[in-house]
Amino acid sequence: IMSITDPNISDRFTSAMEEIHNKELKTYTDIIDTTAELAQSHRQFVKSALDTCLKKCKDDDILFETIQTFKKDLEWKKVALKEKRQAISEVISEIQEKDMQKEDIIQKIEKLKEEQTKRKELIESQYRANKDRLKNLQKARLVFQDHLGLEIRTILGKTQLVKGEKLQFVFRNINPSDPDSAYVITMGINESGSYQIVSSDPVLECLPVLEKRLQETNNLPAFLANVRKEFISQTRR
């Protein structure tokens, strides 16, 4: 009872209650401060996370654009590479074709050289043969012109059939009744180098046979002797 009626008890009680109240208020204040700090920290975290996400999205967009650019560049390079391969293939084909043409030209040149060599050999052979024939003509001229009145003329044919230099053999003393009457054989040399009869005046029916024999034997004096015999025989018919 004395404690209840103690005048200081009320003051102590009030003081104790204030102390408790102050503690609770401090605790509440601390809680509010902590909550505010946590809220501020959360806001900063969310903002930082959002900034990070936005930066990540922006980086991803840049990366995507870069990848698309690389893809387009790669496609362009593929097309360019295909065109270059096609161009190289065409160049190779052209080179191969030119090599074939070169080989063909070389073969043609070799063939022309062979033909030229053969032609040269043929010309040399004909030259030697013509040289021999010239000797025979000189011999025939001496024999027939000096002893039998044979005249040998060189003529130049004007028509296509008798084009080129020809020899004309003029026989006289054939017909006893007309010794000066001329009997003529015109002849030349063909492309193969053989004697070729162009004409005779008068015409001798056996002339093709005599021509063939001349080409086989190459004996011009004998041919002229046989022609003379034929002319004489013809005047006696």
Side-chain angles (χ1 to χ4, degrees):
I1 293 174
M2 286 180 66
S3 61
I4 294 174
T5 59
D6 187 359
N8 295 322
I9 192 67
S10 176
D11 292 333
R12 288 196 297 270
F13 177 77
T14 300
S15 178
M17 291 299 293
E18 287 179 358
E19 185 178 355
I20 293 171
H21 177 72
N22 290 333
K23 288 182 179 179
E24 289 178 354
L25 183 62
K26 185 177 182 304
T27 301
Y28 179 73
T29 302
D30 292 339
I31 291 173
I32 291 174
D33 292 340
T34 301
T35 302
E37 291 176 0
L38 290 174
Q40 180 65 26
S41 177
H42 178 70
R43 284 194 296 270
Q44 291 178 351
F45 173 78
V46 171
K47 185 177 182 303
S48 177
L50 181 60
D51 292 341
T52 302
C53 289
L54 291 175
K55 186 176 182 304
K56 179 63 175 175
C57 290
K58 187 176 181 180
D59 292 342
D60 289 344
D61 290 338
I62 295 173
L63 180 61
F64 179 77
E65 292 177 359
T66 304
I67 292 173
Q68 293 300 319
T69 302
F70 284 160
K71 284 184 178 180
K72 291 180 181 179
D73 185 62
L74 182 60
E75 291 297 327
W76 181 84
K77 287 182 178 179
K78 285 182 179 179
V79 173
L81 181 61
K82 184 177 180 180
E83 292 176 351
K84 287 182 180 179
R85 287 178 177 174
Q86 180 67 26
I88 292 172
S89 178
E90 292 176 357
V91 170
I92 292 174
S93 299
E94 185 177 353
I95 292 173
Q96 291 175 346
E97 183 178 356
K98 288 184 178 180
D99 286 339
M100 293 177 63
Q101 292 177 353
K102 180 181 177 182
E103 291 296 328
D104 185 54
I105 292 173
I106 291 174
Q107 291 178 2
K108 288 181 179 179
I109 291 174
E110 292 297 327
K111 186 176 180 179
L112 288 174
K113 286 182 178 179
E114 292 177 0
E115 292 177 354
Q116 186 177 11
T117 301
K118 291 180 180 179
R119 193 177 295 111
K120 182 179 179 182
E121 292 175 353
L122 177 61
I123 291 173
E124 291 176 351
S125 175
Q126 290 178 352
Y127 173 78
R128 289 192 296 268
N130 291 339
K131 192 174 181 180
D132 293 338
R133 290 187 182 92
L134 182 60
K135 291 180 180 179
N136 290 334
L137 287 175
Q138 293 295 338
K139 291 179 181 178
R141 183 173 182 176
L142 292 174
V143 173
F144 287 92
Q145 187 172 355
D146 295 343
H147 301 286
L148 300 176
L150 174 66
E151 181 184 354
I152 302 176
R153 302 172 182 171
T154 300
I155 61 174
L156 188 64
K158 296 181 180 180
T159 65
Q160 187 67 24
L161 294 176
V162 293
K163 189 175 181 181
E165 190 176 83
K166 310 296 177 186
L167 289 178
Q168 199 173 64
F169 298 89
V170 182
F171 295 88
R172 300 184 191 278
N173 297 323
I174 299 295
N175 190 346
S177 61
D178 188 6
D180 293 330
S181 179
Y183 292 76
V184 182
I185 284 286
T186 303
M187 60 188 299
I189 298 176
N190 59 23
E191 294 179 355
S192 63
S194 301
Y195 290 113
Q196 183 177 22
I197 306 303
V198 177
S199 64
S200 68
D201 183 22
V203 177
L204 294 176
E205 295 181 358
C206 64
L207 194 59
V209 176
L210 296 177
E211 180 184 27
K212 183 179 180 181
R213 188 181 303 167
L214 172 61
Q215 292 173 349
E216 292 174 349
T217 62
N218 202 31
N219 191 338
L220 183 60
F223 168 77
L224 294 175
N226 289 328
V227 168
R228 183 179 180 82
K229 288 180 183 178
E230 292 298 326
F231 279 141
I232 293 172
S233 176
Q234 193 177 61
T235 61
R236 295 176 181 176
R237 293 175 185 172

